[in-house]
């Protein structure tokens, strides 16, 4: 009986020595820093940005007015300004503006003037402006942008440009008139100017305007310029 008891006691002591050792190993493993069990690698990526252009996506275009029937009074013809678009791909953030003026350069007219589109128009020859033909005074054509807005296109975000003619701007002026302006850091991307009212263009004609021969019309050449800076 004593022998059996001795063996029993000896066995219990052996297990008692092993259990703390196993527990210590497990605890030590948990206390090891995570970096000892993971691999890391550093990486970098980048891209360059090259400047693009500042241009008209769709150029401004004043439509043809309806014919005028004389009645002995001063009259106003109305039309709707066509939509046009500006793309600023420069990435400069310097802003931009659009101006318009009458074109007085060779073969053109900065004001509405008698124009023959054919080889002959009655007694007049063409095509071109009729020499010494009747004209309208400068500043006869007005653009009013009240109610007009902008549509951002092709994923454009940010601050849009603004219209400058809510009080009316003369289109057939000898000097360039600013009609749209994008401030610094505005107007980047592509914006379409649209929603002009049906009376956004107003053409004033005096009671003394002269009738023209068949196929002739009063015509003006306009220059729309897209400039850098607001």
């Amino acid at each position: 009986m004593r022998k059996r008891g001795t063996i029993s006691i000896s066995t219990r002591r052996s297990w008692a020595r092993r259990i703390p050792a196993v527990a210590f190993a497990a605890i030590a493993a948990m206390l090891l820093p995570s970096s000892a069990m993971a691999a890391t690698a550093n990486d970098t990526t980048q891209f360059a940005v090259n400047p693009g252009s500042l241009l008209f996506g769709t150029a401004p275009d004043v439509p043809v007015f309806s014919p005028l029937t004389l009645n002995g009074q001063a009259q106003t013809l109305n039309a709707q300004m066509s939509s046009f678009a500006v793309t600023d791909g420069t990435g400069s953030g310097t802003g931009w503006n659009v101006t318009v003026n009458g074109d007085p350069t060779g073969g053109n007219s900065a004001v509405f003037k008698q124009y023959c589109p054919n080889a002959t128009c009655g007694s007049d020859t063409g095509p071109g402006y009729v020499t010494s033909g009747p004209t309208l005074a400068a500043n006869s054509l007005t653009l009013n942008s009240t109610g007009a807005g902008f549509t951002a296109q092709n994923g454009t975000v940010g601050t849009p440009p603004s219209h400058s003619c809510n009080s009316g701007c003369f289109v057939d002026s000898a000097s360039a008139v600013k009609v749209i302006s994008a401030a610094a850091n505005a107007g980047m991307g592509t914006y379409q100017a649209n929603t002009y009212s049906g009376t956004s263009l107003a053409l004033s004609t005096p009671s003394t305007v002269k009738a023209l021969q068949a196929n002739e019309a009063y015509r003006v050449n306009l220059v729309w310029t897209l400039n850098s800076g607001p």
Side-chain angles (χ1 to χ4, degrees):
M1 294 293 293
R2 189 178 299 171
K3 190 175 181 180
R4 291 178 181 172
T6 301
I7 294 174
S8 177
I9 292 171
S10 176
T11 302
R12 290 195 186 110
R13 288 180 178 173
S14 175
W15 281 105
R17 288 194 298 270
R18 293 178 182 173
I19 290 173
V22 173
F24 176 79
I27 294 171
M30 289 188 292
L31 294 178
L32 286 174
S34 58
S35 60
M37 297 185 293
T40 61
N42 294 325
D43 182 27
T44 60
T45 183
Q46 64 186 36
F47 68 99
V49 178
N50 298 318
S53 301
L54 178 65
L55 49 83
F56 285 118
T58 303
D61 182 23
V62 175
V64 175
F65 285 82
S66 300
L68 174 69
T69 299
L70 298 177
N71 60 6
Q73 302 177 24
Q75 299 183 71
T76 299
L77 296 176
N78 290 113
Q80 182 177 26
M81 179 63 191
S82 302
S83 297
F84 61 95
V86 173
T87 296
D88 180 6
T90 63
S92 65
T94 56
W96 50 265
N97 69 83
V98 175
T99 61
V100 61
N101 62 278
D103 183 5
T105 59
N108 298 323
S109 177
V111 298
F112 282 95
K113 183 176 181 179
Q114 183 180 11
Y115 182 84
C116 173
N118 304 322
T120 58
C121 298
S123 59
D124 296 325
T125 57
Y129 289 100
V130 178
T131 303
S132 300
T135 63
L136 299 186
N139 301 332
S140 293
L141 180 58
T142 304
L143 170 66
N144 191 303
S145 54
T146 300
F150 293 94
T151 300
Q153 298 184 320
N154 305 325
T156 293
V157 296
T159 304
S162 58
H163 291 278
S164 306
C165 296
N166 290 340
S167 298
C169 294
F170 293 122
V171 174
D172 55 338
S173 171
S175 302
V177 177
K178 188 180 297 185
V179 297
I180 290 178
S181 179
N185 298 317
M188 299 176 71
T190 300
Y191 285 93
Q192 182 180 37
N194 53 24
T195 61
Y196 288 99
S197 72
T199 58
S200 52
L201 290 169
L203 175 58
S204 299
T205 61
S207 60
T208 55
V209 63
K210 292 183 179 180
L212 304 178
Q213 300 191 64
N215 298 321
E216 289 185 334
Y218 285 93
R219 178 171 172 170
V220 64
N221 295 96
L222 303 176
V223 178
W224 298 83
T225 306
L226 179 56
N227 310 284
S228 179

